[in-house]
Amino acid sequence: MSRRWGKAERLDRLPPYLFVEIDRLKKKLLAEGRDIIDLGIGDPDLATPEEIIEELCTAVQDPENHRYPLDLGLGEFRYAIAEWFQKRFGVELDPDKEILPLIGSKEGIVHFPLAIVNPGDIVLIPEPLYPPYRSGAVFAGAEIYYLSLREENGFRPRLEEIPKNILSRTKILYLNYPNNPTTAVVDRKYLSQVVHMANEYGFCILYDNAYSELCFDNYKAPSILEVEGGRDVAVEFHSFSKTYNMTGWRLGWVCGNRELIAALREVKSNIDSGVFNPIQYAGIKALEIYETYLPRLLRIYLQRRDLFVTGLRKIGWMVNFPKATFYIWAKVPKSNSSTEFCKLLLEKSHIVATPGVGFGPSGEGYVRFALTTREERLQEAVDRIKKLL
Ligand code: PLP
């Protein structure tokens, strides 16, 4: 009997993994014992704050916390999020209806289209992109319409150029600022325009604010829920991953429009059983220490940013100082493609960076560095790049 099962067609709708060759090269060099400086993945090298770890250790001792969590999450956790959100953005959220804990924000980002998209609906996705936006849309059977992010437009999509027949079938617009990978930021005025457009055409906005706290030079990232009408059309994703060096813990939340939150809750209650309670208690602790802890983290990233960007500029690579995120989005300094340049960087300088084209065609010509390593190593990277250029 020939077998009837195999990979589903929807998986073939996801593009092939573009970093295969760079990964292979990296493994080969590591096996040869080369000293690799990895600025590839946006995964902080710093430790989760001690207070958060202690809170987890205490909570995990209580057998009450070993049971299934509630799908809505702990009331205390949602109240702590509401309180933090009010202090940070001046927005009052109903902890029971407008906040839902997530197993990392990626989980909610990918599941959301399942809650509101019907096959054939259009999802607008800016690119270069954080790939899970595409996965979620593909899994839900959506049609994707890509919006190109270009430097001359401040890496913002030109929404006014989207054809009306596309807008009339659009269900979702994904937006992410501070942006990965371009590091672009926006102000409230821009968010107001987007909200206005969502109202006009009847789509909703999934706003990814995963880097909201990693801001420099007196810039503070806004929430889309701050702008008038925001919560009528938008939900916003937040993450503990980058703010508290908790990528492995898998903790985030989504907040905003209550109908959208209720729809996602319905999907999630059929898929997962919530976040382990001790991790939610650790999340409460993280929000409690936010004010004293965050400046320490920002000082570290600011020093890394200044060292790396100043270093590159001194050797003639005119890279911009990003106002947010821990990435550097740099124009490829030679006439190579972004993939060729990253291969060269790895082969000759033993530095891992991500080719812009891996995030979408509009990322071609750029390379992304993640500043997730110590200053000495960043200085060493600059010295090696100097030799290369
Ligand atoms: N959104 C963006 C733009 C990201 O870059 C990331 C992680 O790299 C996430 C969301 C997901 O974060 P997490 O699932 O760890 O909360």
Side-chain angles (χ1 to χ4, degrees), residues 42 103-107 109 130 133 176 178 180 208 210-211 238-242 247 250-252 327:
I103 311 169
S105 63
K106 179 181 181 184
E107 180 261 302
I109 284 169
Y130 173 58
Y133 305 146
N176 162 229
N180 173 21
D208 180 356
Y211 295 90
H238 283 265
S239 172
F240 288 77
S241 290
K242 320 286 168 155
T247 47
R250 313 312 301 130
L251 188 62
Y327 301 113

Side-chain angles (χ1 to χ4, degrees), residues 366-385:
Y366 293 86
V367 44
R368 191 194 75 176
F369 294 102
L371 303 180
T372 47
T373 188
R374 315 190 299 279
E375 283 180 56
E376 307 89 86
R377 298 293 283 163
L378 292 173
Q379 184 57 54
E380 169 71 21
V382 170
D383 296 342
R384 292 187 196 177
I385 292 171

Side-chain angles (χ1 to χ4, degrees), residues 7-16 138-139:
K7 208 168 88 170
E9 283 162 17
R10 70 174 68 85
L11 291 178
D12 290 331
R13 284 187 64 204
L14 298 175
V138 164
F139 291 162

Side-chain angles (χ1 to χ4, degrees), residues 264-334:
L264 179 65
R265 186 181 166 194
E266 217 173 305
V267 168
K268 277 174 60 61
S269 67
N270 281 285
I271 295 179
D272 64 64
S273 299
V275 176
F276 186 40
N277 283 346
I279 292 181
Q280 296 186 59
Y281 284 114
I284 297 174
K285 180 54 81 179
L287 296 169
E288 273 171 23
I289 65 167
Y290 168 80
E291 269 173 40
T292 48
Y293 152 79
L294 189 73
R296 299 201 302 264
L297 181 78
L298 291 182
R299 241 187 331 270
I300 294 170
Y301 282 131
L302 188 66
Q303 279 169 0
R304 289 180 179 183
R305 180 198 76 165
D306 288 349
L307 181 152
F308 194 69
V309 174
T310 310
L312 291 183
R313 291 174 80 96
K314 266 194 203 144
I315 59 173
W317 192 354
M318 298 319 261
V319 165
N320 291 329
F321 289 89
K323 278 200 164 51
T325 77
F326 49 47
Y327 301 113
I328 303 296
W329 184 242
K331 269 209 172 102
V332 174
K334 299 190 166 201

